[in-house]
């Protein structure tokens, strides 16, 4: 069956949504013996890194659904999935969705103390955990939430798929937790599928037929990737907790045509000499979450290859495509898109233009809409938006403005309708004279100007009547850490920002505190430095 035909048949089903893509494809008998999902760990008796067909995937899901039903799990029951393997996260989601329950995926890198507090706030009926996380939770206060036994069920005893309605809750995922306890975000059958339905009406992008995912498995982005692959007849390899070296090794061995990741993924890959790796099959690098840095994007689009129309017809040319954007767990999908090639030159933290399904605005502190060139908070409205925060109506309402979601991102729009992300609202600092220091934009400037810097973190805070800024540098391989780069870094910053720099320091990777999705926890860095005396 052609990809176009499969997508058309799936899209024609009016009940299709995030909770029933697999069961719908099985019911419609659409190419069910084709390879679908591949995991980096074994699934039951199925070896690691060997693709599961749609039919084999369905058997594995039905076995787990049967076991969960035997444990008394019913529709609307929230169940935490806390495991390291991508297979456990994805199969847990699919099995619970089949029952109409609400899988609450918990990133395995959340520390045990915060994981226990998060579980306690959910009010879940149980926790599906692997041995490592079962041990980590032992003896901790999870408000009496029981640990469920390992799942061993008979696929033949699985209940019939739950008949999802568009507004049914279908998954709980969580925010990055960079500023505190991760927030539990509730997605619906319709909201988590809206962007996929939009894509069904578009040509499939080059490279999307065989994708490798380096996304955190417990993230909403992974659920979208899984359903996009199952709904469009694509192959998807899901890695569990890969570092940059493992991603590159898997690319060379599995030879995907596209790679999915976060900004942290591309920063990790850009540290390697990519010209020495076998990356020719890759046509597409697809970013979601925070927008990526120019310095990292340029290294990626310089490798790989893509098809391009020429006078002689379609031919394969050197260089790949990088699709950038801006999204969050609450937004349910990237709301912007921008395509980079080796020839493109629209950077400076440009996230592109909104998708057709997005209605967004830039507003000031009073909620009034701002015009082109003015920096303000991004508010957005879309069918992809999450329903809100689970068990937290106060935060849900505080993040709404006239029906729009307040993202906490500071952006500006130019006269052509392109949007530029400058910082997170909590990280920006007001300077004397009305100017503002944008830490993300400052990092972009340093990376673009300093080729020996692989990554950097700008930490700014107020101390009395002055602003102090520290620039932490993570160097590229071979760069001399003894070299004083202060002048080079300060010269890259905006004139109003440069005088605030107290220190430029080379640091080891482990000195930068990261959240479970790879985001820098700047709030921790600010707290650490607030206890230090400031030279006046």
């Amino acid at each position: 069956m052609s990809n176009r035909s499969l997508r058309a048949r799936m899209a024609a089903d009016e009940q299709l949504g995030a909770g029933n893509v697999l069961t719908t494809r099985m019911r419609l008998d659409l190419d069910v013996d084709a390879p679908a999902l591949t995991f980096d760990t074994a699934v039951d008796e199925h070896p690691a890194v060997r693709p599961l067909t749609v039919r084999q995937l369905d058997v594995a899901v039905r076995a787990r659904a049967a076991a969960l039903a035997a444990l008394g799990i019913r529709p609307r029951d929230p169940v935490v999935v806390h495991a390291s393997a991508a297979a456990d996260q994805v199969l847990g989601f699919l099995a619970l969705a089949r029952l109409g329950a609400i899988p609450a995926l918990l990133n395995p890198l959340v520390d045990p103390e915060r994981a226990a507090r998060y579980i306690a706030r959910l009010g879940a009926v149980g926790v599906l955990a692997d041995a490592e996380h079962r041990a980590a939770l032992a003896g901790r206060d999870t408000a009496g939430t029981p640990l469920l036994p390992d799942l061993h069920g008979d696929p033949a005893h699985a209940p019939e798929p739950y008949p999802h309605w568009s507004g049914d809750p279908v998954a709980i995922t969580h925010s990055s937790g960079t500023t505190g306890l991760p927030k539990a975000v509730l997605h619906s059958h319709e909201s988590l599928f809206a962007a996929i339905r939009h894509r069904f009406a578009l040509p499939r992008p080059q490279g999307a037929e065989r994708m490798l995912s380096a996304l955190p498995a417990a993230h909403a982005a992974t659920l979208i990737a899984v359903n996009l692959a199952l709904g469009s007849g694509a192959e998807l390899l899901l890695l569990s907790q890969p570092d940059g070296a493992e991603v590159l090794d898997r690319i060379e061995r599995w030879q995907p045509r596209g790679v999915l990741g976060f900004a942290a993924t591309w920063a990790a890959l850009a540290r390697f000499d990519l010209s020495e790796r076998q990356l020719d099959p890759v046509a597409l690098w697809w970013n979601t979450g925070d927008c990526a840095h120019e310095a990292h994007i340029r290294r990626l689009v310089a490798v790989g290859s893509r098809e391009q129309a020429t006078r002689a017809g379609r031919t394969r040319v050197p260089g790949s495509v990088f699709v950038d954007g801006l999204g969050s767990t609450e937004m349910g999908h990237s709301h912007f898109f921008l395509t980079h090639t080796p020839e493109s030159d629209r950077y400076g933290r440009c996230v592109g233009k909104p998708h057709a399904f997005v209605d967004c605005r830039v507003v000031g502190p009073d909620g009034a809409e701002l015009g082109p060139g003015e920096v303000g908070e991004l508010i957005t409205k879309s069918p992809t938006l999450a329903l809100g925060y689970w068990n937290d109506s106060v935060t849900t309402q505080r993040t709404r403005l006239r029906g729009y979601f307040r993202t906490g991102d500071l952006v500006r729009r130019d006269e052509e309708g392109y949007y530029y992300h400058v910082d997170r609202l909590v990280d920006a600092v007001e300077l004397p004279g009305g100017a503002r220091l944008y830490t993300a934009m400052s990092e972009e400037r340093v990376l673009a100007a300093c080729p020996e810097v692989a990554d950097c973190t700008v930490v700014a805070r107020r101390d009395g009547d002055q602003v102090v800024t520290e620039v932490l540098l993570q160097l590229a391989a071979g760069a001399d850490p003894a070299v004083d780069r202060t002048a080079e870094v300060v010269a890259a910053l905006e004139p109003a920002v440069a005088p605030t720099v107290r220190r430029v320091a080379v640091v080891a990777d482990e000195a930068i505190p990261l959240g479970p999705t790879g985001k820098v926890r700047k709030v921790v860095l600010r707290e650490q430095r607030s206890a230090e005396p400031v030279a006046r």
Side-chain angles (χ1 to χ4, degrees):
M1 174 178 289
S2 72
N3 165 261
R4 183 176 298 178
S5 175
L6 189 151
R7 288 197 300 169
R9 290 281 306 280
M10 293 289 285
D13 192 303
E14 295 182 355
Q15 304 306 313
L16 185 65
N20 65 3
V21 176
L22 173 61
T23 56
T24 298
R25 188 162 165 187
M26 287 299 300
R27 174 171 55 81
L28 297 177
D29 194 23
L30 298 177
D31 212 6
V32 297
D33 292 313
L37 304 186
T38 300
F39 297 103
D40 58 356
T41 57
V43 173
D44 303 330
E45 302 302 318
H46 197 87
V49 202
R50 180 181 295 177
L52 287 158
T53 66
V54 178
R55 191 190 305 276
Q56 290 169 330
L57 179 66
D58 181 63
V59 169
V61 169
R62 283 192 288 113
R64 287 156 177 79
L68 287 162
L71 291 170
I73 302 301
R74 298 292 181 263
R76 296 294 197 280
D77 282 348
V79 178
V80 176
V81 183
H82 193 32
S84 295
D88 289 338
Q89 295 279 356
V90 172
L91 293 172
F93 162 73
L94 293 170
L96 289 161
R98 182 186 177 96
L99 299 177
I102 310 171
L105 307 187
L106 179 53
N107 191 301
L109 298 181
V110 175
D111 66 86
E113 186 273 332
R114 290 204 302 163
R117 288 169 52 207
Y118 178 83
I119 292 168
R121 289 185 60 178
L122 282 179
V125 302
V127 179
L128 282 173
D130 58 16
E132 175 190 355
H133 293 90
R134 185 183 297 272
L137 291 173
R140 297 184 183 274
D141 182 9
T142 59
T145 309
L147 291 168
L148 300 178
D150 292 339
L151 302 181
H152 302 288
D154 184 344
H157 294 160
E160 288 299 306
Y162 177 81
H164 286 90
W165 168 72
S166 60
D168 281 344
V170 76
I172 297 170
T173 61
H174 61 77
S175 63
S176 60
T178 53
T179 57
L181 191 69
K183 293 187 284 292
V185 180
L186 180 64
H187 308 274
S188 75
H189 183 61
E190 180 180 47
S191 70
L192 205 55
F193 194 74
I196 299 174
R197 189 173 289 282
H198 169 73
R199 292 192 180 281
F200 279 171
L202 305 174
R204 185 163 72 176
Q206 183 181 163
E209 67 275 17
R210 184 175 169 86
M211 301 285 291
L212 179 149
S213 174
L215 297 165
H219 200 277
T222 291
L223 302 186
I224 294 171
V226 166
N227 277 334
L228 179 61
L230 292 174
S232 61
E235 292 185 64
L236 179 67
L237 167 61
L238 296 113
L239 303 183
S240 296
Q241 297 180 50
D243 57 17
E246 183 182 350
V247 172
L248 290 173
D249 289 344
R250 290 291 186 185
I251 291 173
E252 291 183 328
R253 295 201 297 268
W254 199 69
Q255 298 194 331
R257 298 274 286 113
V259 180
L260 296 163
F262 281 163
T265 310
W266 320 124
L269 297 187
R271 289 182 171 221
F272 294 84
D273 183 354
L274 299 180
S275 66
E276 296 296 318
R277 307 303 295 252
Q278 300 300 315
L279 304 177
D280 285 352
V282 179
L284 172 67
W285 312 94
W286 200 337
N287 181 53
T288 189
D290 292 343
C291 63
H293 288 297
E294 173 186 355
H296 303 149
I297 296 171
R298 286 192 181 277
R299 290 182 175 91
L300 290 162
V301 297
V303 298
S305 62
R306 68 197 190 279
E307 288 188 358
Q308 187 168 289
T310 67
R311 292 181 178 179
R314 295 193 67 81
T315 185
R316 201 156 190 86
V317 300
S320 51
V321 168
F322 187 101
V323 176
D324 204 3
L326 180 67
S328 68
T329 302
E330 294 90 338
M331 291 158 75
H333 190 273
S334 286
H335 280 196
F336 300 83
F337 67 99
L338 179 66
T339 300
H340 294 283
T341 69
E343 296 78 35
S344 60
D345 199 33
R346 190 182 292 276
Y347 287 102
R349 295 190 67 77
C350 181
V351 296
K353 294 185 176 182
H355 281 290
F357 53 80
V358 172
D359 173 11
C360 60
R361 302 282 189 272
V362 182
V363 299
D366 60 356
E369 188 169 349
L370 302 178
E374 296 182 281
V375 173
E377 184 180 9
L378 173 70
I379 63 173
T380 184
K381 185 188 297 183
S382 162
T384 67
L385 284 181
L387 299 178
Y389 297 107
W390 181 263
N391 281 350
D392 191 354
S393 57
V394 172
T395 304
T396 297
Q397 295 307 315
R398 283 177 176 166
T399 54
R400 296 298 189 272
L401 176 67
R402 300 190 295 272
Y404 289 80
F405 171 66
R406 305 187 68 150
T407 65
D409 289 298
L410 291 173
V411 302
R412 65 177 176 85
R413 183 183 74 253
D414 69 15
E415 295 285 356
E416 297 179 74
Y418 287 93
Y419 285 72
Y420 296 77
H421 181 264
V422 300
D423 212 357
R424 289 288 294 168
L425 190 59
V426 296
D427 296 328
V429 180
E430 188 172 346
L431 296 171
R436 297 189 80 182
L437 187 158
Y438 301 117
T439 61
M441 196 68 233
S442 298
E443 290 158 0
E444 184 74 19
R445 287 173 167 269
V446 171
L447 287 170
C450 306
E452 289 191 325
V453 176
D455 213 345
C456 82
T457 301
V458 174
V459 185
R461 62 183 178 85
R462 280 202 158 276
D463 186 84
D465 59 355
Q466 68 174 317
V467 174
V468 292
T469 302
E470 191 168 4
V471 183
L472 308 178
L473 307 179
Q474 294 163 266
L475 299 183
D480 185 355
V483 171
D484 184 357
R485 294 175 172 81
T486 301
E488 183 183 15
V489 167
V490 170
L493 299 173
E494 291 181 289
V497 175
T500 71
V501 175
R502 179 182 66 171
R503 185 168 75 109
V504 175
V506 174
V507 298
D509 293 349
E510 53 269 23
I512 303 297
L514 302 177
T517 61
K519 289 186 181 181
V520 176
R521 298 194 67 196
K522 291 185 180 180
V523 65
V524 174
L525 291 171
R526 287 195 294 270
E527 289 171 353
Q528 291 172 349
R529 278 139 184 84
S530 65
E532 300 174 0
V534 179
R536 299 182 186 276

